[in-house]
Amino acid sequence: MALPRLRRLGAGLAVLAVLATLLPAPGLAECLRGANVAGAEFGDLPGVAGRTYTYPSRATLAYLRGKGMNVVRLPFRWERLQPRLNAPLDKAELARIDETVAMATGMGLSVILDPHNYAKYRGQMVGSAKAPSSAFADFWRRLAPRYAGRDDVIYLLMNEPAQISAADWLPSVNAAIAAIREAGADNLVMVPGTIWTGASHWFEAQPGGSNAEVLARVADPLDRYAFDIHQYLDADFSGTKTACDRVGDAVAAVDAMTRWLAETGNSAFLGEFGGHPRPDCYRGLARMVGRINGRPDVWLGWAIWSAGDWWGDYPLSIQPVDGEDRPQLVAISRLIERRNPEEKACSALKRK
């Protein structure tokens, strides 16, 4: 179809409207491959910026971009951004997030905003009397307009809900999504499951139903959401053990997740995975990334855990030391580039 030959404005607008439903969203055309940039979730509350917690430096963001990455997942604490429920956002903390978003997107990195709270606010479970779903929705209603309409800013509702059933988590999910849309934001939303949103726990029985059963009832007026999935490679899939001795089980869990996504018409993002500096982990990381890269029809991409200026000798860190790449990043470096047309027009990122 030769758009320049269209003579009538009305016809042209109609054609463009049709194309908009078929093409990947601007700014998110390629599959997302990147890293978490930890630090803003560090320390006890309230904390002091630059002393007990930190946002990523320009150098860290530039390093990741230089490796070919195109997305960062940005953890931060809900309580620092909104010190009281149902109250205005803290201007100083919001300015720090603004600055980070501007730096990252200015380099060509998309940013996933990640309230890193495990479905709790000051220790109170979201959906409880002291942290009701309405307060969680209020938080997103205040934050969502800040970056509304931007395809390079993605809203992850919450990091790793734990100690809550999927059935109890779902009302808060749907309340938050409704608030985001009511605020006028059409950004991509990422939805985590419970039990730390692990692929290995997606089908696990819970009171009221598994993540797979319950989260089939996610409601988004724009139908523009994906699931945020995590999967580590160690004995209990927590990422805290030294050996990556369950790579096969972890990959099998991701494969089961892939089948479910394809069968249900959903998409997902591998928001956390990682391993210690040892050969079994290097092989496992490459195998995991290869699996995700191989299914751009259902997987938006991945973000390894984790870069961050203050990690020091943390064993899962991919932050360079004295200019040297960490071996975990070396292990997956050849898999970062989006190599073929399907990966460069990631069908999982199309607007539904």
Side-chain angles (χ1 to χ4, degrees), residues 27-72:
L28 288 182
E30 296 191 2
C31 288
L32 299 171
R33 297 178 183 175
N36 288 263
V37 281
E41 81 282 22
F42 284 7
D44 295 332
L45 295 171
V48 179
R51 290 176 57 187
T52 62
Y53 70 98
T54 187
Y55 281 85
S57 66
R58 180 177 294 275
T60 288
L61 296 171
Y63 170 77
L64 298 173
R65 183 58 176 153
K67 293 299 178 183
M69 294 183 176
N70 63 354
V71 68
V72 290

Side-chain angles (χ1 to χ4, degrees), residues 85-135:
L85 292 178
N86 301 304
L89 303 181
D90 181 83
K91 292 181 180 179
E93 195 70 7
L94 188 58
R96 295 180 191 105
I97 293 177
D98 282 344
E99 180 181 11
T100 303
V101 169
M103 280 197 302
T105 57
M107 296 176 188
L109 291 162
S110 293
V111 178
I112 301 169
L113 297 179
D114 166 28
H116 212 76
N117 278 72
Y118 308 92
K120 292 182 179 179
Y121 183 91
R122 300 194 187 280
Q124 302 299 317
M125 189 64 63
V126 170
S128 67
K130 293 187 177 180
S133 297
S134 60

Side-chain angles (χ1 to χ4, degrees), residues 73 156 160 190-194 196-202 211 215 226-232 253-254 257-258 260-261 267-273 292 299 301-303:
R73 184 171 177 262
L156 169 59
E160 292 188 348
M190 290 186 176
V191 178
T194 59
W196 296 277
T197 199
S200 51
H201 299 298
W202 198 252
N211 282 319
L215 295 182
F227 293 107
D228 176 59
I229 303 299
H230 298 180
Q231 189 60 53
Y232 288 93
V254 166
M257 187 84 206
T258 300
W260 181 83
L261 293 169
S267 57
F269 180 78
L270 188 64
E272 283 189 28
F273 65 104
I292 301 302
W299 287 99
W302 47 264

Side-chain angles (χ1 to χ4, degrees), residues 1 3 6 8-23:
M1 182 180 297
L3 288 177
L6 291 173
R8 299 176 64 87
L9 177 61
L13 291 175
V15 171
L16 290 173
V18 171
L19 288 176
T21 66
L22 300 176
L23 296 175

Side-chain angles (χ1 to χ4, degrees), residues 72-236:
V72 290
R73 184 171 177 262
L74 179 64
F76 60 89
R77 291 293 292 274
W78 175 7
E79 297 93 342
R80 290 187 180 130
L81 186 53
Q82 189 181 39
R84 291 184 297 109
L85 292 178
N86 301 304
L89 303 181
D90 181 83
K91 292 181 180 179
E93 195 70 7
L94 188 58
R96 295 180 191 105
I97 293 177
D98 282 344
E99 180 181 11
T100 303
V101 169
M103 280 197 302
T105 57
M107 296 176 188
L109 291 162
S110 293
V111 178
I112 301 169
L113 297 179
D114 166 28
H116 212 76
N117 278 72
Y118 308 92
K120 292 182 179 179
Y121 183 91
R122 300 194 187 280
Q124 302 299 317
M125 189 64 63
V126 170
S128 67
K130 293 187 177 180
S133 297
S134 60
F136 183 53
D138 173 83
F139 166 73
W140 277 110
R141 186 177 290 107
R142 294 175 189 274
L143 181 59
R146 192 78 175 184
Y147 312 102
R150 295 184 57 172
D151 286 323
D152 55 2
V153 180
I154 299 164
Y155 296 154
L156 169 59
L157 296 181
M158 176 60 62
N159 176 69
E160 292 188 348
Q163 300 173 327
I164 183 173
S165 70
D168 288 339
W169 172 233
L170 180 65
S172 296
V173 166
N174 286 340
I177 294 174
I180 290 168
R181 302 313 185 203
E182 289 164 4
D186 65 351
N187 306 56
L188 177 67
V189 172
M190 290 186 176
V191 178
T194 59
I195 322 180
W196 296 277
T197 199
S200 51
H201 299 298
W202 198 252
F203 303 98
E204 186 173 317
Q206 302 182 50
S210 67
N211 282 319
E213 295 166 326
V214 172
L215 295 182
R217 301 196 296 274
V218 169
D220 179 0
L222 299 185
D223 197 24
R224 195 176 183 216
Y225 68 92
F227 293 107
D228 176 59
I229 303 299
H230 298 180
Q231 189 60 53
Y232 288 93
L233 311 173
D234 53 346
D236 60 1

Side-chain angles (χ1 to χ4, degrees), residues 274-277 304-321 325-329:
H276 282 61
I304 191 170
W305 185 268
S306 167
D309 295 80
W310 285 8
W311 274 132
D313 59 0
Y314 172 59
L316 273 65
S317 173
I318 63 160
Q319 189 75 8
V321 178
D325 294 341
R326 297 281 182 122
Q328 295 96 319
L329 187 58

